[in-house]
Amino acid sequence: MTTQFIGKENFTIHTHTVSESCPSNIALIKYWGKYDNQIPANPSISYTLNHCKTNTTMEFLADEPFSVQTFLSGNEEVKFAEKIEKYFKNIEQYLPWILKGKYIIRTENTFPHSSGIASSASGFGAIAKCLMALDETFTGKNSEEESLRKASFLARLGSGSACRSLYNGLIVWGETEEVQGSSDLFAVPYPETEIHEVFKNFNDWVLLIHEGQKSVSSTVGHGLMNTNPYAERRFQEARENFIPMKEILKSGDMERFIKLVEHEALTLHAMMMMSDPAFILMKTGTLEVINKIWDFRRETGLPLFFTLDAGANVHLLFPSDASEEQIKTFIEAELLQHTQKNGVVKDVMKF
Ligand code: PMV
């Protein structure tokens, strides 16, 4: 945090600069469908990634007329600035100073742009952390716990799943009886003592099957759940899935974990196919990879499995243990060929 006083004609501009970093996350039980004010229709749980991050520097020129300028990897992004302006107006009730100045926001992702990795999660997570850093210079320091909670609350209002990115490990967003302290308003870490060691060191290799703009944004996708005849059943199932998930995380039952995580991913895409209008975000490569994973598991019994978010790319999940070298060899030999330009982003979830 730096604060400078720049003399300008007869008055002084207070420039505050903060820099924050936030990782992306990948959901195991998916959030798909929401109510007003970014209230999720069901609880979700995700792993926070360790390498895929957004680094953001926010310069705040206090007392200038409100405006936002954004740069992504050095290039000005007008559309993103408009989105952030709208977001700041929306959260003024929680940060009363927020519209009293000009912002220059520079942001960089450590992963390829449009790779299908949730840059809105890491992006809004980093912005929310910057806002909290500014807030604390104006209104006083909070405890770390309060500060993270408020950042998670603010991030949620930018992009729902972003609220889970504020914490490392396995993170829950959405109220469920199965997780004490869980809330629709912010995310909470899943208690570490309730997690078997095997789930504390996992790989997530993201196969970049299709880079570029998605045909249907997640905002539109969430909206289509409002008229999806299967929506209520889906929300109910996601809520119920917390019961086996809790048992699995405690016991380390990999077989049941794989079954549940893949079921969640396929259900998410099934919901898209059953929307009106229907849409499909998976590509041929997505299906080819899924079939190869299933064949590989049948033949070797090794714990390689997948999840998907709202896109064509496949998140390959496998534990960091004795089996990982054989799994990595298989991925390189058999799965990379289904990506565009041999694209894979290798991340881990370690805590
Ligand atoms: O946070 P949003 O609005 O981009 O929605 C994300 C939805 C999924 O990634 C598909 C699932 C999830 O829980 O992250």
Side-chain angles (χ1 to χ4, degrees), residues 276-290:
D276 182 13
F279 63 106
I280 301 179
L281 296 182
M282 290 188 288
K283 300 281 179 197
T284 314
T286 316
L287 298 175
E288 281 166 345
V289 166
I290 290 175

Side-chain angles (χ1 to χ4, degrees), residues 27 30-32 120 159-161 164 218 222 268 309-310:
K30 309 285 180 181
Y31 145 64
W32 197 242
S120 66
S159 163
S161 60
R164 298 186 308 237
S218 50
H222 284 291
L268 168 72
D309 55 22

Side-chain angles (χ1 to χ4, degrees), residues 19-275:
S19 294
E20 295 287 348
S21 175
C22 188
S24 186
N25 71 73
I26 180 69
L28 302 173
I29 293 179
K30 309 285 180 181
Y31 145 64
W32 197 242
K34 60 179 166 182
Y35 307 122
D36 287 350
N37 297 322
Q38 302 276 86
I39 299 300
N42 63 260
S44 57
I45 181 166
S46 60
Y47 261 130
T48 298
L49 301 181
N50 286 191
H51 302 320
C52 291
K53 291 187 173 168
T54 299
N55 299 319
T56 297
T57 296
M58 186 180 282
E59 229 178 294
F60 177 63
L61 285 73
D63 304 324
E64 289 276 286
F66 174 62
S67 70
V68 178
Q69 214 179 353
T70 55
F71 296 87
L72 182 56
S73 305
N75 301 315
E76 184 157 12
E77 292 275 336
V78 177
K79 281 255 163 325
F80 188 52
E82 285 166 6
K83 201 167 164 181
I84 299 297
E85 264 187 38
K86 210 167 135 198
Y87 168 58
F88 283 6
K89 285 180 183 159
N90 196 25
I91 59 177
E92 191 194 7
Q93 55 188 310
Y94 309 110
L95 300 172
W97 51 266
I98 197 167
L99 303 183
K100 296 183 177 142
K102 169 180 173 163
Y103 295 81
I104 301 167
I105 300 172
R106 292 174 212 282
T107 159
E108 270 173 26
N109 294 331
T110 62
F111 49 90
H113 184 50
S114 295
S115 60
I117 298 168
S119 63
S120 66
S122 53
F124 274 101
I127 285 177
K129 280 171 91 175
C130 287
L131 292 174
M132 279 313 294
L134 286 176
D135 189 55
E136 291 184 348
T137 61
F138 304 139
T139 64
K141 198 113 187 88
N142 297 304
S143 69
E144 198 187 327
E145 198 186 331
E146 274 172 336
S147 180
L148 279 174
R149 180 160 290 185
K150 192 162 178 192
S152 174
F153 174 93
L154 293 171
R156 175 193 115 245
L157 295 167
S159 163
S161 60
C163 72
R164 298 186 308 237
S165 273
L166 275 297
Y167 300 93
N168 190 28
L170 277 166
I171 310 302
V172 175
W173 169 41
E175 200 178 323
T176 161
E177 273 174 22
E178 303 309 317
V179 181
Q180 218 194 345
S182 57
S183 169
D184 286 346
L185 304 180
F186 48 79
V188 294
Y190 190 83
E192 226 183 292
T193 50
E194 297 300 305
I195 306 172
H196 191 280
E197 287 307 311
V198 73
F199 299 125
K200 292 186 184 173
N201 194 353
F202 239 79
N203 294 290
D204 179 5
W205 282 20
V206 191
L207 290 180
L208 307 180
I209 305 282
H210 180 81
E211 296 182 54
Q213 204 65 30
K214 285 185 288 193
S215 56
V216 176
S217 71
S218 50
T219 309
V220 172
H222 284 291
L224 288 172
M225 285 301 273
N226 294 335
T227 53
N228 187 320
Y230 296 90
E232 274 313 317
R233 184 66 199 96
R234 158 62 196 157
F235 302 149
Q236 183 61 26
E237 188 193 55
R239 280 179 215 123
E240 288 164 4
N241 279 346
F242 266 80
I243 299 168
M245 181 58 96
K246 222 173 133 174
E247 292 164 9
I248 292 165
L249 290 177
K250 181 84 181 166
S251 66
D253 188 335
M254 192 60 72
E255 218 171 294
R256 284 178 77 202
F257 189 59
I258 293 175
K259 200 169 165 198
L260 184 55
V261 170
E262 289 189 348
H263 176 75
E264 275 288 321
L266 294 175
T267 305
L268 168 72
H269 285 260
M271 286 298 122
M272 298 175 189
M273 292 184 217
M274 292 188 290
S275 292

